[in-house]
Amino acid sequence: MSDTGGDGQALLRVKEVGATSVVCPMVTPTNYTVWSLHMKVVLRIHKAWTVIDQGTDWNNENDYLAMGLLYQEIPESLIMQIGDVESSKAIWDAIKAQHIGVDQVKEAHLQTLSFEFYWLRMNESETINSFSRKLFGISSKSATLGCVIDESKLVKKFLKSLP
C-alpha cells in the first residue's frame, strides 16, 4: 500500500502479518471459568465473538468460525451431548450450563461441610482419634472442593469441641 508524500514521492506503509499461533485450552469439568475467559479472547482475535455476544451485528461466516473454534476445544463426549446445534451461541450456552451447574453443586457441598464443621462437637463417649478423624475428614473434603481450612482454625475447633 502506498501514499503520496507532500513532495510527490510515494511513501510505503507496510503492514506485517506474522505467523500467529493461538493456543486454545480444552474445557474440562473443573476449568470452565478460565476456559471461557480464554475462549472469549480467542474468539475476539478471530472476530467471531460477535455471534456469542449478540450486542453486535450477526455474521454467518463468523458464526461458523466460532463454532469451529469451539468444537476444536471441547471433548467429543460434550459434542455428543450438545448435538447438532445451529449456532455457536447455542454451543456456548450448553457448555456454560453444564459447567455452571457443576460450580453450583460444588458450592452447595462446601456450604454443607461448613455447616457440619460449625456444629461438630465431640461426644463424651467418643475417642479423640475418632473425633479428629471426623474433623480432618471435613477438612479434607473441603480442600478437595477448593476451600482449605487453616490449620489454626482446625486446632481451635478441636480444642473448643472437647467435652
Side-chain angles (χ1 to χ4, degrees):
M1 172 188 247
S2 65
D3 287 333
T4 305
D7 60 357
Q9 293 183 344
L11 299 174
L12 295 176
R13 287 188 293 167
V14 178
K15 181 179 178 186
E16 291 186 20
V17 179
T20 303
S21 175
V22 178
V23 178
C24 300
M26 177 71 75
V27 67
T28 68
T30 59
N31 77 340
Y32 170 75
T33 303
V34 172
W35 173 87
S36 67
L37 294 171
H38 191 96
M39 287 306 299
K40 283 178 188 177
V41 171
V42 171
L43 291 168
R44 285 178 177 140
I45 289 169
H46 290 281
K47 296 177 177 54
W49 180 248
T50 58
V51 295
I52 291 173
D53 182 3
Q54 297 291 326
T56 56
D57 292 336
W58 186 81
N59 179 326
N60 200 26
E61 286 181 31
N62 281 344
D63 195 31
Y64 289 126
L65 175 60
M67 288 174 70
L69 290 169
L70 289 169
Y71 271 111
Q72 283 184 88
E73 302 307 324
I74 58 177
E76 287 183 15
S77 60
L78 184 55
I79 292 172
M80 296 304 291
Q81 290 174 10
I82 292 170
D84 189 21
V85 296
E86 296 297 321
S87 72
S88 56
K89 175 69 170 153
I91 295 170
W92 187 270
D93 289 345
I95 294 168
K96 181 178 180 179
Q98 183 180 38
H99 288 84
I100 294 297
V102 168
D103 286 345
Q104 290 171 341
V105 168
K106 180 176 146 181
E107 185 61 34
H109 284 295
L110 282 170
Q111 287 177 356
T112 301
L113 288 171
S114 177
F115 183 77
E116 284 180 38
F117 183 83
Y118 179 79
W119 288 106
L120 184 66
R121 300 283 184 261
M122 183 176 167
N123 297 326
E124 298 231 2
S125 61
E126 193 171 17
T127 66
I128 289 179
N129 286 339
S130 173
F131 178 72
S132 63
R133 276 194 298 273
K134 284 182 188 177
L135 185 62
F136 291 111
I138 291 171
S139 174
S140 177
K141 288 176 187 175
S142 180
T144 301
L145 294 170
C147 182
V148 177
I149 301 173
D150 291 338
E151 187 176 333
S152 62
K153 189 173 181 180
L154 288 169
V155 170
K156 286 178 187 175
K157 179 64 175 179
F158 181 80
L159 293 174
K160 287 180 179 180
S161 299
L162 296 174

